[in-house]
PDB file of all heavy atoms in Angstrom:
ATOM      1  N   VAL O   1       0.850  -1.203  -0.001  1.00 89.00           N
ATOM      2  CA  VAL O   1      -0.003   0.014  -0.004  1.00 89.00           C
ATOM      3  C   VAL O   1       0.889   1.242  -0.006  1.00 89.00           C
ATOM      4  O   VAL O   1       0.623   2.184  -0.766  1.00 89.00           O
ATOM      5  CB  VAL O   1      -0.962  -0.011   1.191  1.00 89.00           C
ATOM      6  CG1 VAL O   1      -1.626   1.339   1.390  1.00 89.00           C
ATOM      7  CG2 VAL O   1      -2.008  -1.111   1.030  1.00 89.00           C
ATOM      8  N   SER O   2       1.911   1.248   0.814  1.00 87.00           N
ATOM      9  CA  SER O   2       2.824   2.406   0.877  1.00 87.00           C
ATOM     10  C   SER O   2       3.512   2.665  -0.436  1.00 87.00           C
ATOM     11  O   SER O   2       3.790   3.809  -0.797  1.00 87.00           O
ATOM     12  CB  SER O   2       3.886   2.196   1.960  1.00 87.00           C
ATOM     13  OG  SER O   2       3.311   2.127   3.223  1.00 87.00           O
ATOM     14  N   ALA O   3       3.802   1.631  -1.208  1.00 90.00           N
ATOM     15  CA  ALA O   3       4.489   1.779  -2.492  1.00 90.00           C
ATOM     16  C   ALA O   3       3.528   2.140  -3.606  1.00 90.00           C
ATOM     17  O   ALA O   3       3.887   2.936  -4.506  1.00 90.00           O
ATOM     18  CB  ALA O   3       5.246   0.484  -2.853  1.00 90.00           C
ATOM     19  N   VAL O   4       2.332   1.570  -3.614  1.00 90.00           N
ATOM     20  CA  VAL O   4       1.435   1.716  -4.760  1.00 90.00           C
ATOM     21  C   VAL O   4       0.612   3.004  -4.721  1.00 90.00           C
ATOM     22  O   VAL O   4       0.426   3.656  -5.731  1.00 90.00           O
ATOM     23  CB  VAL O   4       0.486   0.456  -4.880  1.00 90.00           C
ATOM     24  CG1 VAL O   4      -0.572   0.672  -5.874  1.00 90.00           C
ATOM     25  CG2 VAL O   4       1.338  -0.750  -5.226  1.00 90.00           C
ATOM     26  N   VAL O   5       0.081   3.378  -3.561  1.00 90.00           N
ATOM     27  CA  VAL O   5      -0.824   4.522  -3.496  1.00 90.00           C
ATOM     28  C   VAL O   5      -0.174   5.790  -4.014  1.00 90.00           C
ATOM     29  O   VAL O   5      -0.792   6.488  -4.842  1.00 90.00           O
ATOM     30  CB  VAL O   5      -1.380   4.714  -2.072  1.00 90.00           C
ATOM     31  CG1 VAL O   5      -2.086   6.053  -1.958  1.00 90.00           C
ATOM     32  CG2 VAL O   5      -2.339   3.578  -1.723  1.00 90.00           C
ATOM     33  N   PRO O   6       1.090   6.117  -3.697  1.00 88.00           N
ATOM     34  CA  PRO O   6       1.660   7.355  -4.242  1.00 88.00           C
ATOM     35  C   PRO O   6       1.774   7.309  -5.778  1.00 88.00           C
ATOM     36  O   PRO O   6       1.652   8.349  -6.407  1.00 88.00           O
ATOM     37  CB  PRO O   6       3.056   7.421  -3.600  1.00 88.00           C
ATOM     38  CG  PRO O   6       2.912   6.676  -2.333  1.00 88.00           C
ATOM     39  CD  PRO O   6       1.954   5.546  -2.655  1.00 88.00           C
ATOM     40  N   MET O   7       1.952   6.143  -6.352  1.00 91.00           N
ATOM     41  CA  MET O   7       2.047   6.039  -7.809  1.00 91.00           C
ATOM     42  C   MET O   7       0.704   6.208  -8.494  1.00 91.00           C
ATOM     43  O   MET O   7       0.599   6.697  -9.601  1.00 91.00           O
ATOM     44  CB  MET O   7       2.659   4.684  -8.233  1.00 91.00           C
ATOM     45  CG  MET O   7       4.140   4.590  -7.894  1.00 91.00           C
ATOM     46  SD  MET O   7       4.933   3.122  -8.569  1.00 91.00           S
ATOM     47  CE  MET O   7       4.212   1.848  -7.565  1.00 91.00           C
ATOM     48  N   LEU O   8      -0.382   5.785  -7.817  1.00 92.00           N
ATOM     49  CA  LEU O   8      -1.723   5.859  -8.406  1.00 92.00           C
ATOM     50  C   LEU O   8      -2.495   7.086  -8.010  1.00 92.00           C
ATOM     51  O   LEU O   8      -3.513   7.430  -8.614  1.00 92.00           O
ATOM     52  CB  LEU O   8      -2.528   4.602  -7.982  1.00 92.00           C
ATOM     53  CG  LEU O   8      -1.997   3.262  -8.436  1.00 92.00           C
ATOM     54  CD1 LEU O   8      -2.852   2.147  -7.887  1.00 92.00           C
ATOM     55  CD2 LEU O   8      -1.911   3.202  -9.967  1.00 92.00           C
ATOM     56  N   ALA O   9      -2.042   7.786  -6.984  1.00 94.00           N
ATOM     57  CA  ALA O   9      -2.774   8.962  -6.462  1.00 94.00           C
ATOM     58  C   ALA O   9      -3.006  10.007  -7.530  1.00 94.00           C
ATOM     59  O   ALA O   9      -2.112  10.300  -8.333  1.00 94.00           O
ATOM     60  CB  ALA O   9      -2.023   9.557  -5.281  1.00 94.00           C
ATOM     61  N   ASN O  10      -4.225  10.544  -7.521  1.00 96.00           N
ATOM     62  CA  ASN O  10      -4.515  11.636  -8.470  1.00 96.00           C
ATOM     63  C   ASN O  10      -4.819  12.962  -7.718  1.00 96.00           C
ATOM     64  O   ASN O  10      -5.100  13.955  -8.360  1.00 96.00           O
ATOM     65  CB  ASN O  10      -5.655  11.254  -9.406  1.00 96.00           C
ATOM     66  CG  ASN O  10      -6.965  10.982  -8.722  1.00 96.00           C
ATOM     67  OD1 ASN O  10      -7.083  11.082  -7.505  1.00 96.00           O
ATOM     68  ND2 ASN O  10      -7.968  10.649  -9.484  1.00 96.00           N
ATOM     69  N   VAL O  11      -4.759  12.926  -6.375  1.00 96.00           N
ATOM     70  CA  VAL O  11      -4.960  14.141  -5.598  1.00 96.00           C
ATOM     71  C   VAL O  11      -4.100  14.122  -4.339  1.00 96.00           C
ATOM     72  O   VAL O  11      -3.739  13.084  -3.821  1.00 96.00           O
ATOM     73  CB  VAL O  11      -6.433  14.337  -5.148  1.00 96.00           C
ATOM     74  CG1 VAL O  11      -7.355  14.566  -6.341  1.00 96.00           C
ATOM     75  CG2 VAL O  11      -6.915  13.219  -4.258  1.00 96.00           C
ATOM     76  N   SER O  12      -3.783  15.325  -3.906  1.00 94.00           N
ATOM     77  CA  SER O  12      -3.255  15.518  -2.551  1.00 94.00           C
ATOM     78  C   SER O  12      -4.397  16.064  -1.730  1.00 94.00           C
ATOM     79  O   SER O  12      -4.962  17.092  -2.114  1.00 94.00           O
ATOM     80  CB  SER O  12      -2.101  16.486  -2.554  1.00 94.00           C
ATOM     81  OG  SER O  12      -0.984  15.939  -3.247  1.00 94.00           O
ATOM     82  N   ALA O  13      -4.769  15.376  -0.700  1.00 97.00           N
ATOM     83  CA  ALA O  13      -5.894  15.791   0.123  1.00 97.00           C
ATOM     84  C   ALA O  13      -5.442  15.980   1.550  1.00 97.00           C
ATOM     85  O   ALA O  13      -4.317  15.616   1.893  1.00 97.00           O
ATOM     86  CB  ALA O  13      -6.990  14.738   0.060  1.00 97.00           C
ATOM     87  N   THR O  14      -6.314  16.544   2.357  1.00 97.00           N
ATOM     88  CA  THR O  14      -6.083  16.533   3.807  1.00 97.00           C
ATOM     89  C   THR O  14      -7.311  15.940   4.469  1.00 97.00           C
ATOM     90  O   THR O  14      -8.430  16.150   4.036  1.00 97.00           O
ATOM     91  CB  THR O  14      -5.852  17.951   4.380  1.00 97.00           C
ATOM     92  OG1 THR O  14      -7.008  18.786   4.143  1.00 97.00           O
ATOM     93  CG2 THR O  14      -4.612  18.605   3.801  1.00 97.00           C
ATOM     94  N   ILE O  15      -7.033  15.073   5.441  1.00 97.00           N
ATOM     95  CA  ILE O  15      -8.107  14.496   6.232  1.00 97.00           C
ATOM     96  C   ILE O  15      -7.883  14.952   7.680  1.00 97.00           C
ATOM     97  O   ILE O  15      -6.864  14.644   8.263  1.00 97.00           O
ATOM     98  CB  ILE O  15      -8.087  12.951   6.155  1.00 97.00           C
ATOM     99  CG1 ILE O  15      -8.186  12.469   4.705  1.00 97.00           C
ATOM    100  CG2 ILE O  15      -9.212  12.367   7.019  1.00 97.00           C
ATOM    101  CD1 ILE O  15      -8.041  10.974   4.548  1.00 97.00           C
ATOM    102  N   ASP O  16      -8.817  15.750   8.169  1.00 97.00           N
ATOM    103  CA  ASP O  16      -8.657  16.406   9.470  1.00 97.00           C
ATOM    104  C   ASP O  16      -7.328  17.144   9.571  1.00 97.00           C
ATOM    105  O   ASP O  16      -6.627  17.047  10.585  1.00 97.00           O
ATOM    106  CB  ASP O  16      -8.837  15.402  10.620  1.00 97.00           C
ATOM    107  CG  ASP O  16     -10.313  15.210  11.005  1.00 97.00           C
ATOM    108  OD1 ASP O  16     -11.151  15.970  10.497  1.00 97.00           O
ATOM    109  OD2 ASP O  16     -10.589  14.321  11.795  1.00 97.00           O
ATOM    110  N   GLY O  17      -6.920  17.780   8.475  1.00 96.00           N
ATOM    111  CA  GLY O  17      -5.710  18.581   8.456  1.00 96.00           C
ATOM    112  C   GLY O  17      -4.419  17.826   8.183  1.00 96.00           C
ATOM    113  O   GLY O  17      -3.365  18.446   8.067  1.00 96.00           O
ATOM    114  N   VAL O  18      -4.493  16.517   8.066  1.00 96.00           N
ATOM    115  CA  VAL O  18      -3.287  15.703   7.827  1.00 96.00           C
ATOM    116  C   VAL O  18      -3.195  15.409   6.310  1.00 96.00           C
ATOM    117  O   VAL O  18      -4.126  14.851   5.735  1.00 96.00           O
ATOM    118  CB  VAL O  18      -3.358  14.384   8.614  1.00 96.00           C
ATOM    119  CG1 VAL O  18      -2.128  13.506   8.334  1.00 96.00           C
ATOM    120  CG2 VAL O  18      -3.477  14.654  10.108  1.00 96.00           C
ATOM    121  N   PRO O  19      -2.078  15.779   5.674  1.00 96.00           N
ATOM    122  CA  PRO O  19      -1.964  15.503   4.242  1.00 96.00           C
ATOM    123  C   PRO O  19      -1.886  14.017   3.908  1.00 96.00           C
ATOM    124  O   PRO O  19      -1.283  13.235   4.643  1.00 96.00           O
ATOM    125  CB  PRO O  19      -0.644  16.218   3.855  1.00 96.00           C
ATOM    126  CG  PRO O  19       0.023  16.588   5.099  1.00 96.00           C
ATOM    127  CD  PRO O  19      -0.907  16.417   6.241  1.00 96.00           C
ATOM    128  N   VAL O  20      -2.504  13.656   2.782  1.00 95.00           N
ATOM    129  CA  VAL O  20      -2.500  12.259   2.327  1.00 95.00           C
ATOM    130  C   VAL O  20      -2.580  12.245   0.798  1.00 95.00           C
ATOM    131  O   VAL O  20      -3.267  13.083   0.210  1.00 95.00           O
ATOM    132  CB  VAL O  20      -3.667  11.477   2.986  1.00 95.00           C
ATOM    133  CG1 VAL O  20      -5.009  12.038   2.591  1.00 95.00           C
ATOM    134  CG2 VAL O  20      -3.592  10.020   2.632  1.00 95.00           C
ATOM    135  N   GLN O  21      -1.875  11.328   0.190  1.00 95.00           N
ATOM    136  CA  GLN O  21      -1.982  11.088  -1.249  1.00 95.00           C
ATOM    137  C   GLN O  21      -3.122  10.066  -1.420  1.00 95.00           C
ATOM    138  O   GLN O  21      -3.205   9.085  -0.671  1.00 95.00           O
ATOM    139  CB  GLN O  21      -0.700  10.495  -1.813  1.00 95.00           C
ATOM    140  CG  GLN O  21       0.465  11.446  -1.772  1.00 95.00           C
ATOM    141  CD  GLN O  21       0.274  12.620  -2.701  1.00 95.00           C
ATOM    142  OE1 GLN O  21      -0.004  12.433  -3.878  1.00 95.00           O
ATOM    143  NE2 GLN O  21       0.340  13.826  -2.164  1.00 95.00           N
ATOM    144  N   ALA O  22      -4.020  10.319  -2.377  1.00 96.00           N
ATOM    145  CA  ALA O  22      -5.168   9.477  -2.491  1.00 96.00           C
ATOM    146  C   ALA O  22      -5.726   9.463  -3.925  1.00 96.00           C
ATOM    147  O   ALA O  22      -5.244  10.195  -4.783  1.00 96.00           O
ATOM    148  CB  ALA O  22      -6.293   9.966  -1.540  1.00 96.00           C
ATOM    149  N   LEU O  23      -6.704   8.632  -4.139  1.00 96.00           N
ATOM    150  CA  LEU O  23      -7.400   8.534  -5.433  1.00 96.00           C
ATOM    151  C   LEU O  23      -8.800   9.091  -5.227  1.00 96.00           C
ATOM    152  O   LEU O  23      -9.551   8.640  -4.359  1.00 96.00           O
ATOM    153  CB  LEU O  23      -7.502   7.072  -5.898  1.00 96.00           C
ATOM    154  CG  LEU O  23      -6.187   6.428  -6.286  1.00 96.00           C
ATOM    155  CD1 LEU O  23      -5.516   5.792  -5.078  1.00 96.00           C
ATOM    156  CD2 LEU O  23      -6.446   5.411  -7.330  1.00 96.00           C
ATOM    157  N   PHE O  24      -9.160  10.107  -6.026  1.00 96.00           N
ATOM    158  CA  PHE O  24     -10.461  10.745  -5.935  1.00 96.00           C
ATOM    159  C   PHE O  24     -11.272  10.347  -7.146  1.00 96.00           C
ATOM    160  O   PHE O  24     -10.784  10.364  -8.273  1.00 96.00           O
ATOM    161  CB  PHE O  24     -10.320  12.263  -5.866  1.00 96.00           C
ATOM    162  CG  PHE O  24     -11.618  12.983  -5.805  1.00 96.00           C
ATOM    163  CD1 PHE O  24     -12.397  12.977  -4.632  1.00 96.00           C
ATOM    164  CD2 PHE O  24     -12.117  13.647  -6.908  1.00 96.00           C
ATOM    165  CE1 PHE O  24     -13.605  13.646  -4.591  1.00 96.00           C
ATOM    166  CE2 PHE O  24     -13.332  14.321  -6.870  1.00 96.00           C
ATOM    167  CZ  PHE O  24     -14.079  14.311  -5.712  1.00 96.00           C
ATOM    168  N   ALA O  25     -12.547  10.002  -6.890  1.00 95.00           N
ATOM    169  CA  ALA O  25     -13.478   9.718  -7.961  1.00 95.00           C
ATOM    170  C   ALA O  25     -14.797  10.336  -7.610  1.00 95.00           C
ATOM    171  O   ALA O  25     -15.144  10.491  -6.438  1.00 95.00           O
ATOM    172  CB  ALA O  25     -13.633   8.209  -8.157  1.00 95.00           C
ATOM    173  N   ASN O  26     -15.560  10.731  -8.627  1.00 92.00           N
ATOM    174  CA  ASN O  26     -16.890  11.315  -8.373  1.00 92.00           C
ATOM    175  C   ASN O  26     -17.865  10.697  -9.345  1.00 92.00           C
ATOM    176  O   ASN O  26     -18.097  11.176 -10.435  1.00 92.00           O
ATOM    177  CB  ASN O  26     -16.846  12.825  -8.545  1.00 92.00           C
ATOM    178  CG  ASN O  26     -18.073  13.514  -7.990  1.00 92.00           C
ATOM    179  OD1 ASN O  26     -18.924  12.888  -7.345  1.00 92.00           O
ATOM    180  ND2 ASN O  26     -18.156  14.821  -8.254  1.00 92.00           N
ATOM    181  N   GLU O  27     -18.436   9.557  -8.928  1.00 84.00           N
ATOM    182  CA  GLU O  27     -19.384   8.845  -9.781  1.00 84.00           C
ATOM    183  C   GLU O  27     -20.629   9.712 -10.004  1.00 84.00           C
ATOM    184  O   GLU O  27     -21.117  10.376  -9.088  1.00 84.00           O
ATOM    185  CB  GLU O  27     -19.818   7.520  -9.108  1.00 84.00           C
ATOM    186  CG  GLU O  27     -18.711   6.520  -9.000  1.00 84.00           C
ATOM    187  CD  GLU O  27     -19.178   5.239  -8.319  1.00 84.00           C
ATOM    188  OE1 GLU O  27     -20.356   5.155  -7.871  1.00 84.00           O
ATOM    189  OE2 GLU O  27     -18.390   4.343  -8.236  1.00 84.00           O
ATOM    190  N   HIS O  28     -21.135   9.655 -11.208  1.00 83.00           N
ATOM    191  CA  HIS O  28     -22.348  10.417 -11.546  1.00 83.00           C
ATOM    192  C   HIS O  28     -23.392   9.409 -11.985  1.00 83.00           C
ATOM    193  O   HIS O  28     -23.067   8.459 -12.715  1.00 83.00           O
ATOM    194  CB  HIS O  28     -22.023  11.415 -12.672  1.00 83.00           C
ATOM    195  CG  HIS O  28     -23.213  12.220 -13.074  1.00 83.00           C
ATOM    196  ND1 HIS O  28     -23.608  13.311 -12.353  1.00 83.00           N
ATOM    197  CD2 HIS O  28     -24.112  12.064 -14.078  1.00 83.00           C
ATOM    198  CE1 HIS O  28     -24.680  13.840 -12.912  1.00 83.00           C
ATOM    199  NE2 HIS O  28     -25.007  13.099 -13.954  1.00 83.00           N
ATOM    200  N   SER O  29     -24.600   9.608 -11.550  1.00 80.00           N
ATOM    201  CA  SER O  29     -25.690   8.693 -11.997  1.00 80.00           C
ATOM    202  C   SER O  29     -26.935   9.492 -12.354  1.00 80.00           C
ATOM    203  O   SER O  29     -27.154  10.593 -11.838  1.00 80.00           O
ATOM    204  CB  SER O  29     -25.997   7.654 -10.903  1.00 80.00           C
ATOM    205  OG  SER O  29     -26.566   8.302  -9.768  1.00 80.00           O
ATOM    206  N   PHE O  30     -27.708   8.919 -13.230  1.00 82.00           N
ATOM    207  CA  PHE O  30     -28.972   9.512 -13.635  1.00 82.00           C
ATOM    208  C   PHE O  30     -30.020   8.393 -13.581  1.00 82.00           C
ATOM    209  O   PHE O  30     -29.805   7.301 -14.152  1.00 82.00           O
ATOM    210  CB  PHE O  30     -28.886  10.078 -15.057  1.00 82.00           C
ATOM    211  CG  PHE O  30     -30.193  10.649 -15.532  1.00 82.00           C
ATOM    212  CD1 PHE O  30     -30.560  11.929 -15.166  1.00 82.00           C
ATOM    213  CD2 PHE O  30     -31.022   9.900 -16.358  1.00 82.00           C
ATOM    214  CE1 PHE O  30     -31.778  12.470 -15.590  1.00 82.00           C
ATOM    215  CE2 PHE O  30     -32.242  10.457 -16.781  1.00 82.00           C
ATOM    216  CZ  PHE O  30     -32.604  11.716 -16.411  1.00 82.00           C
ATOM    217  N   THR O  31     -31.114   8.669 -12.914  1.00 85.00           N
ATOM    218  CA  THR O  31     -32.195   7.705 -12.800  1.00 85.00           C
ATOM    219  C   THR O  31     -33.472   8.356 -13.297  1.00 85.00           C
ATOM    220  O   THR O  31     -33.787   9.496 -12.874  1.00 85.00           O
ATOM    221  CB  THR O  31     -32.401   7.228 -11.342  1.00 85.00           C
ATOM    222  OG1 THR O  31     -31.165   6.725 -10.875  1.00 85.00           O
ATOM    223  CG2 THR O  31     -33.461   6.191 -11.229  1.00 85.00           C
ATOM    224  N   ALA O  32     -34.196   7.676 -14.151  1.00 83.00           N
ATOM    225  CA  ALA O  32     -35.462   8.192 -14.647  1.00 83.00           C
ATOM    226  C   ALA O  32     -36.622   7.521 -13.924  1.00 83.00           C
ATOM    227  O   ALA O  32     -36.628   6.307 -13.763  1.00 83.00           O
ATOM    228  CB  ALA O  32     -35.568   7.962 -16.161  1.00 83.00           C
ATOM    229  N   GLN O  33     -37.578   8.316 -13.506  1.00 82.00           N
ATOM    230  CA  GLN O  33     -38.798   7.850 -12.917  1.00 82.00           C
ATOM    231  C   GLN O  33     -39.945   8.443 -13.775  1.00 82.00           C
ATOM    232  O   GLN O  33     -40.378   9.564 -13.536  1.00 82.00           O
ATOM    233  CB  GLN O  33     -38.957   8.290 -11.473  1.00 82.00           C
ATOM    234  CG  GLN O  33     -37.937   7.701 -10.550  1.00 82.00           C
ATOM    235  CD  GLN O  33     -38.190   6.240 -10.273  1.00 82.00           C
ATOM    236  OE1 GLN O  33     -39.311   5.742 -10.387  1.00 82.00           O
ATOM    237  NE2 GLN O  33     -37.145   5.513  -9.972  1.00 82.00           N
ATOM    238  N   GLY O  34     -40.395   7.718 -14.776  1.00 83.00           N
ATOM    239  CA  GLY O  34     -41.351   8.277 -15.696  1.00 83.00           C
ATOM    240  C   GLY O  34     -40.737   9.396 -16.464  1.00 83.00           C
ATOM    241  O   GLY O  34     -39.698   9.232 -17.100  1.00 83.00           O
ATOM    242  N   GLN O  35     -41.335  10.569 -16.419  1.00 86.00           N
ATOM    243  CA  GLN O  35     -40.812  11.728 -17.142  1.00 86.00           C
ATOM    244  C   GLN O  35     -39.906  12.601 -16.273  1.00 86.00           C
ATOM    245  O   GLN O  35     -39.392  13.628 -16.711  1.00 86.00           O
ATOM    246  CB  GLN O  35     -41.959  12.588 -17.662  1.00 86.00           C
ATOM    247  CG  GLN O  35     -42.791  11.873 -18.713  1.00 86.00           C
ATOM    248  CD  GLN O  35     -43.919  12.744 -19.260  1.00 86.00           C
ATOM    249  OE1 GLN O  35     -44.411  13.655 -18.560  1.00 86.00           O
ATOM    250  NE2 GLN O  35     -44.331  12.459 -20.458  1.00 86.00           N
ATOM    251  N   ILE O  36     -39.668  12.156 -15.044  1.00 85.00           N
ATOM    252  CA  ILE O  36     -38.809  12.911 -14.129  1.00 85.00           C
ATOM    253  C   ILE O  36     -37.490  12.191 -13.979  1.00 85.00           C
ATOM    254  O   ILE O  36     -37.432  10.972 -13.818  1.00 85.00           O
ATOM    255  CB  ILE O  36     -39.465  13.057 -12.730  1.00 85.00           C
ATOM    256  CG1 ILE O  36     -40.787  13.814 -12.870  1.00 85.00           C
ATOM    257  CG2 ILE O  36     -38.532  13.751 -11.777  1.00 85.00           C
ATOM    258  CD1 ILE O  36     -41.571  13.864 -11.594  1.00 85.00           C
ATOM    259  N   GLY O  37     -36.403  12.941 -14.053  1.00 82.00           N
ATOM    260  CA  GLY O  37     -35.063  12.364 -13.875  1.00 82.00           C
ATOM    261  C   GLY O  37     -34.392  12.876 -12.642  1.00 82.00           C
ATOM    262  O   GLY O  37     -34.652  13.993 -12.205  1.00 82.00           O
ATOM    263  N   PHE O  38     -33.590  12.047 -12.056  1.00 81.00           N
ATOM    264  CA  PHE O  38     -32.828  12.397 -10.860  1.00 81.00           C
ATOM    265  C   PHE O  38     -31.344  12.221 -11.153  1.00 81.00           C
ATOM    266  O   PHE O  38     -30.941  11.137 -11.589  1.00 81.00           O
ATOM    267  CB  PHE O  38     -33.208  11.529  -9.667  1.00 81.00           C
ATOM    268  CG  PHE O  38     -34.677  11.638  -9.279  1.00 81.00           C
ATOM    269  CD1 PHE O  38     -35.612  10.775  -9.791  1.00 81.00           C
ATOM    270  CD2 PHE O  38     -35.086  12.661  -8.433  1.00 81.00           C
ATOM    271  CE1 PHE O  38     -36.940  10.888  -9.456  1.00 81.00           C
ATOM    272  CE2 PHE O  38     -36.410  12.761  -8.089  1.00 81.00           C
ATOM    273  CZ  PHE O  38     -37.360  11.876  -8.573  1.00 81.00           C
ATOM    274  N   GLU O  39     -30.563  13.233 -10.888  1.00 84.00           N
ATOM    275  CA  GLU O  39     -29.112  13.140 -11.040  1.00 84.00           C
ATOM    276  C   GLU O  39     -28.480  13.208  -9.658  1.00 84.00           C
ATOM    277  O   GLU O  39     -28.965  13.889  -8.761  1.00 84.00           O
ATOM    278  CB  GLU O  39     -28.569  14.312 -11.871  1.00 84.00           C
ATOM    279  CG  GLU O  39     -28.984  14.239 -13.322  1.00 84.00           C
ATOM    280  CD  GLU O  39     -28.303  15.358 -14.107  1.00 84.00           C
ATOM    281  OE1 GLU O  39     -27.123  15.173 -14.455  1.00 84.00           O
ATOM    282  OE2 GLU O  39     -28.970  16.351 -14.345  1.00 84.00           O
ATOM    283  N   SER O  40     -27.390  12.452  -9.516  1.00 82.00           N
ATOM    284  CA  SER O  40     -26.662  12.534  -8.274  1.00 82.00           C
ATOM    285  C   SER O  40     -25.178  12.248  -8.535  1.00 82.00           C
ATOM    286  O   SER O  40     -24.823  11.705  -9.559  1.00 82.00           O
ATOM    287  CB  SER O  40     -27.202  11.525  -7.248  1.00 82.00           C
ATOM    288  OG  SER O  40     -26.956  10.202  -7.686  1.00 82.00           O
ATOM    289  N   ASP O  41     -24.350  12.651  -7.612  1.00 86.00           N
ATOM    290  CA  ASP O  41     -22.952  12.310  -7.663  1.00 86.00           C
ATOM    291  C   ASP O  41     -22.573  11.660  -6.341  1.00 86.00           C
ATOM    292  O   ASP O  41     -23.296  11.780  -5.363  1.00 86.00           O
ATOM    293  CB  ASP O  41     -22.049  13.490  -8.024  1.00 86.00           C
ATOM    294  CG  ASP O  41     -22.151  14.614  -7.021  1.00 86.00           C
ATOM    295  OD1 ASP O  41     -22.896  14.514  -6.043  1.00 86.00           O
ATOM    296  OD2 ASP O  41     -21.460  15.616  -7.220  1.00 86.00           O
ATOM    297  N   ARG O  42     -21.469  10.958  -6.368  1.00 90.00           N
ATOM    298  CA  ARG O  42     -20.989  10.267  -5.175  1.00 90.00           C
ATOM    299  C   ARG O  42     -19.485  10.431  -5.088  1.00 90.00           C
ATOM    300  O   ARG O  42     -18.721   9.577  -5.568  1.00 90.00           O
ATOM    301  CB  ARG O  42     -21.377   8.793  -5.250  1.00 90.00           C
ATOM    302  CG  ARG O  42     -21.059   8.020  -3.999  1.00 90.00           C
ATOM    303  CD  ARG O  42     -21.602   6.601  -4.114  1.00 90.00           C
ATOM    304  NE  ARG O  42     -21.379   5.915  -2.860  1.00 90.00           N
ATOM    305  CZ  ARG O  42     -21.168   4.619  -2.756  1.00 90.00           C
ATOM    306  NH1 ARG O  42     -21.118   3.866  -3.852  1.00 90.00           N
ATOM    307  NH2 ARG O  42     -20.977   4.066  -1.614  1.00 90.00           N
ATOM    308  N   PRO O  43     -19.019  11.532  -4.482  1.00 96.00           N
ATOM    309  CA  PRO O  43     -17.573  11.705  -4.377  1.00 96.00           C
ATOM    310  C   PRO O  43     -16.986  10.691  -3.407  1.00 96.00           C
ATOM    311  O   PRO O  43     -17.541  10.426  -2.333  1.00 96.00           O
ATOM    312  CB  PRO O  43     -17.423  13.134  -3.872  1.00 96.00           C
ATOM    313  CG  PRO O  43     -18.733  13.515  -3.295  1.00 96.00           C
ATOM    314  CD  PRO O  43     -19.781  12.665  -3.939  1.00 96.00           C
TER     315      PRO O  43
END
């Protein structure tokens, strides 16, 4: 984990103020209910 995460990381983030290399993704979805659609994301 220590070797691979820095190579794959696409962001530098902080968690409670502590810096960490990580992978960020923001899935997007669209669901239709009849003629009404709902969009959401999941960071």
Side-chain angles (χ1 to χ4, degrees):
V1 168
S2 295
V4 171
V5 170
M7 289 188 289
L8 298 177
N10 63 0
V11 295
S12 292
T14 60
I15 303 174
D16 276 350
V18 178
V20 62
Q21 294 293 306
L23 292 88
F24 178 75
N26 194 8
E27 293 179 357
H28 180 81
S29 67
F30 178 81
T31 304
Q33 295 288 335
Q35 294 181 334
I36 299 173
F38 299 93
E39 291 186 79
S40 67
D41 60 0
R42 186 175 185 212

